[in-house]
Amino acid sequence: VRTEPLLGEPPLLVRGDPYSVVVLLQGYAEPEGVGDAVRADGSVTLVLPHAWGSVSGHQESPPEGGGANTALEEAARGPILVDTGGPWARETLLAALARQGVAPGDVTLVVGTHGHSDHIGNLGLFPGAALLVSHDFCLPGGRYLTHGLGEERPLRLGPGLEVWATPGHGGQRDVSVVVAGTALGTVVVAGDVFERSGDEDSWQALSEDPVAQERSRKRVLGTADVVVPGHGAPFRVVREAPQP
């Protein structure tokens, strides 16, 4: 397996049915000044159900009846935002959403891959959305529901759309969003499971659990055709046939 950059500047649209993927903002992590200071922000990705564009942009809040799986599937009927960037990117995020014809009130589900400030710094823009931050799932107003997500038990949001437990970078509760059936195959929005393409020399130093993260990285590389990392450009995963 090798990786190669996916060419194109944000917003990068990967069409699909029933879900398309739009990389709204490309994350970055750049050394600044002396010492170990880094200026960073996380990638922000929009998952758009194909059917959403054909109906009114106004979406009802997910129902409070039923369990977590039902609520998640209902929330995934509208635009889904995976990570929100840091609070310093608020206006940039709003502008990027507007260019896709999406208002903050249209977003029905926000998935935070992990709890670092550069990935969930704008949750307050989406009070009407259901929130899945790491493994914590709540409906608007703070009604929390249990769901049983684990490495052997993904959460199904819709056909070909799942949330995986991919622990390691931020501890045991990191998640990734898996979108199958796009024009480029399966897209995995991986948070900081991958910092960037070619991060083999650096990711361990940033990991709270390198053993778990190595396991998560192998799992993602075994499934993804495209990976959206936390702090760099999306990249393709190329599987080469073994030499005889």
Side-chain angles (χ1 to χ4, degrees):
V1 174
R2 62 180 174 84
T3 64
E4 60 183 34
L6 185 63
L7 300 179
E9 295 296 324
L12 182 63
L13 170 62
V14 182
R15 296 191 182 277
D17 190 3
Y19 302 97
S20 294
V21 178
V22 186
V23 181
L24 293 176
L25 304 178
Q26 181 176 299
Y28 58 87
E30 303 165 349
E32 180 172 276
V34 296
D36 296 328
V38 174
R39 182 178 294 275
D41 205 4
S43 298
V44 180
T45 305
L46 183 66
V47 179
L48 279 175
H50 181 72
W52 181 77
S54 63
V55 299
S56 168
H58 176 71
Q59 300 291 318
E60 298 296 331
S61 297
E64 292 200 356
N69 290 340
T70 298
L72 279 163
E73 290 184 4
E74 287 296 321
R77 295 179 185 273
I80 303 160
L81 199 63
V82 186
D83 287 340
T84 71
W88 48 87
R90 171 190 172 98
E91 298 305 321
T92 304
L93 172 58
L94 289 172
L97 283 169
R99 285 192 289 270
Q100 302 302 317
V102 177
D106 296 330
V107 175
T108 52
L109 175 63
V110 178
V111 179
T113 58
H114 60 292
H116 292 168
S117 55
D118 56 338
H119 291 264
I120 59 167
N122 288 301
L123 289 180
L125 293 174
F126 310 99
L131 304 178
L132 178 65
V133 179
S134 297
H135 286 218
D136 293 338
F137 176 55
C138 71
L139 297 178
R143 181 170 180 261
Y144 283 81
L145 300 175
T146 58
H147 47 69
L149 173 65
E151 288 186 75
E152 304 301 323
R153 185 181 176 184
L155 294 179
R156 182 184 184 274
L157 304 185
L161 179 63
E162 294 183 335
V163 175
W164 286 6
T166 49
H169 172 76
Q172 292 301 307
R173 296 172 67 82
D174 294 17
V175 300
S176 298
V177 175
V178 181
V179 187
T182 79
L184 296 180
T186 297
V187 178
V188 178
V189 187
D192 283 359
V193 174
F194 290 87
E195 295 285 324
R196 53 180 171 77
S197 178
D199 66 353
E200 288 81 3
D201 61 343
S202 60
W203 69 265
Q204 295 93 337
L206 303 170
S207 178
E208 292 190 19
D209 190 336
V211 173
Q213 188 168 346
E214 178 68 31
R215 185 170 67 245
S216 297
R217 287 166 66 91
K218 289 180 177 179
R219 184 182 180 199
V220 170
L221 289 176
T223 297
D225 297 295
V226 173
V227 174
V228 181
H231 296 278
F235 59 87
R236 292 179 183 269
V237 179
V238 181
R239 296 172 183 85
E240 298 176 328
Q243 297 298 316

